[in-house]
Structure formats: C-alpha cells, structure tokens
Amino acid sequence: MTQTDNSNAPRVTIVVSPRERFEQAEMSLASCFEKTDTLFRMIYIDGGTPRAIAHTLKEKVERRGHIYLRRDGFLTPNDARNLALPLIDTEYVAFIDNDVVFQPGWLDALIRCADETGAGLVTPTILVGPAARMPDLSIHHAGGILKVEEDEHGKTMYRRHGFEHTRYLEMKDELKRQETGCTEFHVVLARKAMIDDIGPFDPNLVGFTDEIDMALAARAKGWKIFYEPDSVIAYAVGKRLTWRDRPYFCVRWSPGRVMRAERYFYDKWGLTHDFDRQRNFLRDHRRHAFPMKSMQKIIGWRATVGLTAILCNTVSAISSWRLIRPNPTPQHTRQ
C-alpha cells in the first residue's frame, strides 16, 4: 500500500530481486501489494525479465510511486540487492525474491519483532508449494540452526532448517518467536544500520550461501537474528518452467559457476570443504528445467538425470553471455 503523506514516512523499503525465474513475478508483485498494509517504499530490481512481463511489472511498480530499475542482462541475486542499497534511506529493508507470495500482516509482524528484540535480521515462516494452496503447505524454514565448529580436522559448518517438511497448519501452534541462527533470502527483514555495519553483499556468492554469508557477518558484528512465526510467506513452486524461464534458470544454476562460488565461500570463512549437499541439490533442482517424467519411466532415473544435465549445460552455454558480470567492489552509499 503506497501513500504520499510525508508526515508519516515509511520505515521500511521492500527490495525485490530475481531468484531463478520470471513467470511468477507478476503474481508475486500482486500478492505483495494486496497483502501488505504497512506503509513502505519499494525498489524493484529487474535483471533480464522478458519484456512483456517487464512492461507489466514496471507499470505496476511506477504507478504506485516506487522505483523500478532494469538491466537487460541477467543479474545474480546479490548483485541485484547491491544495486538497491544506495537508494535505501529507511530504518528497515525487506529483501524479497520475485517468486514469493504473502499472508496478510507479514511485514507488520517482522517489523514488530525487530522493534521488540533489537534484532538486526528477522526471518518469517517460509512455506513452500503451489501458491493456490497457501497456507496449507509444508514448512521450508521456520528459523533454524547455523553453527561453525572447530576440531583437529578444521572448521565445519552445520545448518538445519527448523520444522522443515512438516505441515504448517499442523505445526502452527507450536511455532514460537525465538533467536535463531540464520535466515533465507526468500524473505528477510534487515535493519539498515546492520547493513551499513557489515557492508554490501558479496558479489562473488552466486549459489547457495549468500544468506549464510550475511548471517555470519551479522553475528560477527554482534547483531541478533530472530525468527517471527506470525509472519508467513511462501516460496511459490509448482508451475512448470517455460522457455522464457529456462535460460536464466540454467545460467543461475550452472554447476561450474555455483561450485566456484561455494569454494570461495568456504575458503572465505576458513571452512573444511564439504560439497555433497550442493552437488545433490544441483542434480535434483536442475531437473525442474526439463522434468521428463514420462521419459524416466522408459529410460530410467540415471539416464534422465544425465540428459537433463546435458540440456541445462547447453542452454547455459548459449545464454551465459546475458549474465552481467557482478561488480567486484560494490559501493555502499550511507544515507
């Protein structure tokens, strides 16, 4: 909801950035406008959205007096977020992906938690599944554990999402506000002072660890991270990828690019290399680009996994020229 009363200036800026696809973007933006009663500013970062979709997004964002920034090439999520940072002059910033949907009161609850706890970061209840079934979905992230432990073999990282894969409506009454170890970038509220303290997002991180890097940096500076159960959003999945989505999806999840970023992250924090989880995710997640469920019944799982990898690598190689090289030294302008 947008208002122009300067005597009641918004306390929060919503920054929208691309995650892995574009076809959900209009639905996500409509959900944000419909389900958000808190006064806010918005900075919408568009990296390579197909022009028919981009035209609609731009019109809806700018008609409400918000900022729409477009780059014709593909952007990594951290690079997109860094583009928005110099324009933020509110107390809080809510980073959201372009493929999430919301329950009413989601932003109020995040801000209330930050006000009452002094947290630098607040994470909502994140569900996963088709948007039409919201909120009768499984929990993806309800707080969780992020620990770095050291022994004679080196430093290892342990991460686990709270209540993952359990049904939200069955567990709803058991979810309590509490300090937590990490967040997810699907939706996260950050205190602007914390962002100023830790600096811009690392442009080298293009895979799985952008939110972990932020959490570790925030904790190193003494900022608390809280989980707020009354804020509920969903990472909307279920719709098949179209040919308009596949180029960005395959570039985004290119194994070579992602695994270079993972090795960089582990070296940055002095962690022992352990990449089984990442490799398994890439193998399984990239199959969304070319599901081939019928073919799997004929040629088997292993063969379809191999064929999917070939197709995704081919699409990525053809489309990688569209990826805008992240700025290695993003400037963070303080307001």
Side-chain angles (χ1 to χ4, degrees), residues 38-309:
T38 307
L39 191 67
F40 66 88
R41 293 178 180 141
M42 176 179 284
I43 302 172
Y44 198 105
I45 307 297
D46 172 4
T49 301
R51 290 193 177 275
I53 299 174
H55 176 79
T56 300
L57 296 174
K58 177 180 172 66
E59 190 278 328
K60 290 183 176 180
V61 169
E62 293 185 340
R63 175 160 48 87
R64 291 170 171 82
H66 300 304
I67 297 173
Y68 184 88
L69 296 179
R70 176 175 171 84
R71 300 292 184 270
D72 287 333
F74 298 146
L75 291 170
T76 65
N78 266 0
D79 211 30
R81 296 175 192 118
N82 283 334
L83 285 175
L85 292 184
L87 305 176
I88 299 169
D89 61 1
T90 51
E91 182 180 0
Y92 295 113
V93 52
F95 295 101
I96 71 175
D97 287 340
N98 69 340
D99 58 359
V100 294
V101 293
F102 308 85
Q103 284 288 91
W106 71 277
L107 188 53
D108 278 338
L110 293 177
I111 293 174
R112 184 168 60 249
C113 178
D115 285 343
E116 294 173 358
T117 64
L121 292 167
V122 183
T123 183
T125 301
I126 302 173
L127 312 181
V128 59
R133 289 171 45 194
M134 177 77 161
D136 186 16
L137 298 170
S138 295
I139 295 173
H140 173 63
H141 183 275
I145 299 171
L146 176 62
K147 296 191 298 184
V148 176
E149 299 177 334
E150 188 168 7
D151 57 24
E152 65 274 14
H153 302 294
K155 293 167 66 176
T156 58
M157 182 177 67
Y158 173 74
R159 184 189 188 196
R160 181 170 62 84
H161 291 184
F163 296 93
E164 190 173 19
H165 304 309
T166 60
R167 303 298 299 180
Y168 170 67
L169 295 181
E170 295 174 4
M171 302 301 299
K172 180 179 178 181
D173 294 338
E174 297 186 30
L175 302 177
K176 307 297 181 185
R177 178 193 290 181
Q178 58 186 302
E179 195 166 350
T180 189
C182 57
T183 70
E184 282 274 328
F185 262 127
H186 295 296
V187 170
V188 61
L189 182 78
R191 193 178 293 269
K192 177 63 162 53
M194 187 220 72
I195 299 295
D196 288 339
D197 198 13
I198 68 173
F201 300 111
D202 193 327
N204 296 295
L205 299 177
V206 301
F208 313 100
T209 45
D210 46 4
E211 73 266 13
I212 300 176
D213 186 71
M214 178 180 65
L216 291 176
R219 285 162 42 170
K221 292 285 189 175
W223 292 97
K224 295 179 180 179
I225 305 173
F226 266 80
Y227 160 61
E228 176 49 61
D230 290 342
S231 177
V232 181
I233 69 97
Y235 162 40
V237 299
K239 290 188 176 181
R240 294 172 64 93
L241 269 72
T242 70
W243 275 106
R244 293 198 296 184
D245 277 333
R246 286 185 181 120
Y248 180 50
F249 184 91
C250 292
V251 169
R252 171 79 166 85
W253 297 114
S254 165
R257 187 174 296 108
V258 169
M259 293 311 300
R260 281 195 299 272
E262 290 303 286
R263 287 189 285 272
Y264 165 84
F265 169 82
Y266 275 68
D267 291 342
K268 174 181 179 178
W269 291 98
L271 300 170
T272 302
H273 286 197
D274 180 8
F275 301 129
D276 287 344
R277 180 183 65 85
Q278 291 92 326
R279 292 191 179 99
N280 290 338
F281 175 89
L282 285 171
R283 179 199 66 202
D284 296 336
H285 192 66
R286 293 203 306 159
R287 297 189 71 198
H288 291 299
F290 301 96
M292 295 186 290
K293 293 181 180 179
S294 298
M295 185 176 294
Q296 181 175 320
K297 296 178 182 179
I298 301 172
I299 66 175
W301 176 83
R302 189 177 301 276
T304 54
V305 167
L307 182 56
T308 296

